[in-house]
Amino acid sequence: MPELTPAQLPRSRQLVVLAICCMSLLIVSLDNTALNVALPSLRRDLGASVSGLQWVIDAYTLVLASLLMLSGSTADRVGRRKVFVTGLVVFALGSLLCSLAPSLEALIAFRAVQAVGGSMLNPVAMSIITNTFTEPAARARAIGVWGGVVGISMALGPLVGGLLVESVGWRAIFWVNLPVALTALLLTLRYVPESRAPRPRRPDPVGQLLVAALLGSLTYAIIETDPLFAGIAAAALAGLLWYEPRRREPLIDLRFFRSAPFSGATVVAICAFAGFGGFLFLNTLYLQEVRGLSPLRAGLYMLPMAGMTFVFAPLSGRLTGARGPRVPLLLAGTAMATGALLFAAFGAETHDPLLFAGYVVFGIGFGLVNAPITNTAVSGMPRAQAGVAAAVASTSRQVGQTLGVAVVGTVLATGVGAGMSPDDFVVAARPGYWVVTACGLAVLTVGALTSGKWARRTAERTAACLAAEADPRPGPGEGPGARAAVRGLRKDIRVRRR
């Protein structure tokens, strides 16, 4: 008897597949936020500077962002379960190596190995979900759960990290990944069927190299303030914009960005996660280095942010499924900007009532923002390109967190110099909080501009064009008007290729 396709699975098994995918997302997201709480311990144990701490975080998010689209397209081509299983194995191996790292340089290298495995998990899991839940309402609910897990894992990271660092040590953060990855691996082999895109896309090694060069050189230029690498990043971006539209099957299909909601989701993801990454980086160092709190107490201090994200992430998923992405995006941008503004303008970190108020409001905003990002990125896209579309959204999150830590960390390092005295830290952190506030305002503005009726029309046109090229045959029940529209789209596609 042939194995069932993902869409043919019974409801109970579909839910098991969703749970497995959420497990992989949990360890990939939780690992990075939990490690933030361990930064002061790493600073003492491994003799790390502020830039060294930035690289511990950004080595992971940078490699992850560089490889997500390659992993998504590869999974669509060679098999989603196969790539997902490989990712679990590599991620577990990288976690083990990180727990044994003897130096800062080794830890940064092993974090990159860990990220190679992580890049095979998030976009591939989203592609599996998209191809398992084919009915629009069920897919929206599943994506809502997925977006909720992103927010929950981000929120629980500081608390889990603080508990592990104080009770065992920072290396325990990586040990936690091993049993979860092993459990997910065994369940995947048992319950997740193999699936591929009907028409696999060809590899694009030049596009992949340009993406890696762009993200790597940009991050290095920000952290190390090197203008040469800023020039390399600009050249890589120009190369991408020139080369990718000329390929028949590019790594990044730039036509995705003709959809205003898709482009908006990309920008919102970058801004939201840049704000979150910078906010978490500043607060982790402040609570432990300036206030002298233990890792566990620092995690407990940030519990209001975790609690609000935990509550509002699944609510945002349901709200997005019922009302669309506009309302949660507007609320998210307003809350994130307001929470950061309490620190930037009113010195919330020096007054506990304001500090906790800032955590509560910022946590609400971050909890609301994940579900509409994910839903908007994949809604309306052909299932044949689900892996690539999901990978763009995941890449945007990682790029945002990478840039947030790089920019805010560089601003902080410039202000405190070598001293890191309490007064210097508070003053030096102020511009960083203004950066985070600007990120929240960007979420609000872009969310408002790209979630209206005009934006939805651009999404419909883009989806129709992509679907016509992916599967140019009209489906059953489509009338003459639909067939004529598809014939017209096919003609437009042939003209563009000439």
Side-chain angles (χ1 to χ4, degrees), residues 103-243:
S103 65
L104 179 68
E105 293 76 15
L107 178 60
I108 292 172
F110 295 150
R111 288 280 285 164
V113 174
Q114 193 184 28
V116 172
S119 73
M120 302 180 195
L121 298 180
N122 284 11
V124 180
M126 174 51 67
S127 183
I128 291 171
I129 291 172
T130 304
N131 284 271
T132 300
F133 296 88
T134 56
E135 194 271 322
R139 181 186 294 179
R141 288 192 296 270
I143 291 174
V145 173
W146 171 268
V149 171
V150 173
I152 290 167
S153 62
M154 292 288 185
L156 291 179
L159 183 60
V160 173
L163 181 62
L164 291 173
V165 171
E166 186 157 330
S167 59
V168 183
W170 61 265
R171 297 179 190 273
I173 292 174
F174 301 107
W175 296 341
V176 171
N177 296 331
L178 302 179
V180 179
L182 178 60
T183 302
L185 175 62
L186 295 176
L187 292 175
T188 300
L189 294 173
R190 173 66 179 85
Y191 291 105
V192 178
E194 185 61 279
S195 63
R196 296 178 178 83
R199 188 174 65 85
R201 299 168 65 81
R202 297 175 183 175
D204 181 10
V206 175
Q208 178 59 51
L209 287 174
L210 288 171
V211 168
L214 169 61
L215 298 179
S217 55
L218 179 61
T219 304
Y220 189 91
I222 294 172
I223 293 178
E224 305 297 340
T225 59
D226 191 327
L228 173 62
F229 280 83
I232 295 174
L237 176 60
L240 270 175
L241 296 177
W242 178 85
Y243 177 77

Side-chain angles (χ1 to χ4, degrees), residues 77-388:
R77 184 170 59 254
V78 306
R80 297 178 179 114
R81 184 176 71 171
K82 186 181 299 182
V83 172
F84 190 71
V85 166
T86 303
L88 287 169
V89 172
V90 175
F91 186 83
L93 176 61
S95 298
L96 178 62
L97 292 173
C98 286
S99 71
L100 302 174
S103 65
L104 179 68
E105 293 76 15
L107 178 60
I108 292 172
F110 295 150
R111 288 280 285 164
V113 174
Q114 193 184 28
V116 172
S119 73
M120 302 180 195
L121 298 180
N122 284 11
V124 180
M126 174 51 67
S127 183
I128 291 171
I129 291 172
T130 304
N131 284 271
T132 300
F133 296 88
T134 56
E135 194 271 322
R139 181 186 294 179
R141 288 192 296 270
I143 291 174
V145 173
W146 171 268
V149 171
V150 173
I152 290 167
S153 62
M154 292 288 185
L156 291 179
L159 183 60
V160 173
L163 181 62
L164 291 173
V165 171
E166 186 157 330
S167 59
V168 183
W170 61 265
R171 297 179 190 273
I173 292 174
F174 301 107
W175 296 341
V176 171
N177 296 331
L178 302 179
V180 179
L182 178 60
T183 302
L185 175 62
L186 295 176
L187 292 175
T188 300
L189 294 173
R190 173 66 179 85
Y191 291 105
V192 178
E194 185 61 279
S195 63
R196 296 178 178 83
R199 188 174 65 85
R201 299 168 65 81
R202 297 175 183 175
D204 181 10
V206 175
Q208 178 59 51
L209 287 174
L210 288 171
V211 168
L214 169 61
L215 298 179
S217 55
L218 179 61
T219 304
Y220 189 91
I222 294 172
I223 293 178
E224 305 297 340
T225 59
D226 191 327
L228 173 62
F229 280 83
I232 295 174
L237 176 60
L240 270 175
L241 296 177
W242 178 85
Y243 177 77
E244 291 297 282
R246 288 164 171 76
R247 274 189 60 84
R248 185 180 182 87
E249 293 182 342
L251 176 70
I252 308 173
D253 195 333
L254 298 182
R255 290 174 301 166
F256 283 4
F257 295 95
R258 295 177 186 174
S259 165
F262 183 89
S263 298
T266 302
V267 175
V268 166
I270 292 173
C271 294
F273 277 74
F276 176 77
F279 189 83
L280 195 60
F281 189 84
L282 289 174
N283 276 277
T284 296
L285 291 178
Y286 171 76
L287 291 174
Q288 295 186 56
E289 296 285 355
V290 178
R291 288 207 174 188
L293 301 181
S294 66
L296 177 57
R297 287 194 65 196
L300 289 173
Y301 255 67
M302 287 187 278
L303 190 58
M305 181 171 66
M308 292 301 100
T309 305
F310 185 89
V311 170
F312 280 86
L315 289 178
S316 177
R318 288 196 289 271
L319 181 60
T320 301
R323 300 283 301 275
R326 185 176 181 84
V327 172
L329 282 177
L330 297 182
L331 293 175
T334 302
M336 291 184 71
T338 302
L341 186 64
L342 292 177
F343 290 82
F346 300 102
E349 66 266 47
T350 59
H351 306 282
D352 278 352
L354 276 181
L355 177 76
F356 291 125
Y359 287 163
V360 166
V361 177
F362 193 88
I364 291 172
F366 188 69
L368 288 167
V369 81
N370 281 287
I373 289 172
T374 307
N375 183 272
T376 305
V378 301
S379 293
M381 294 297 172
R383 278 189 289 149
Q385 297 183 5
V388 178

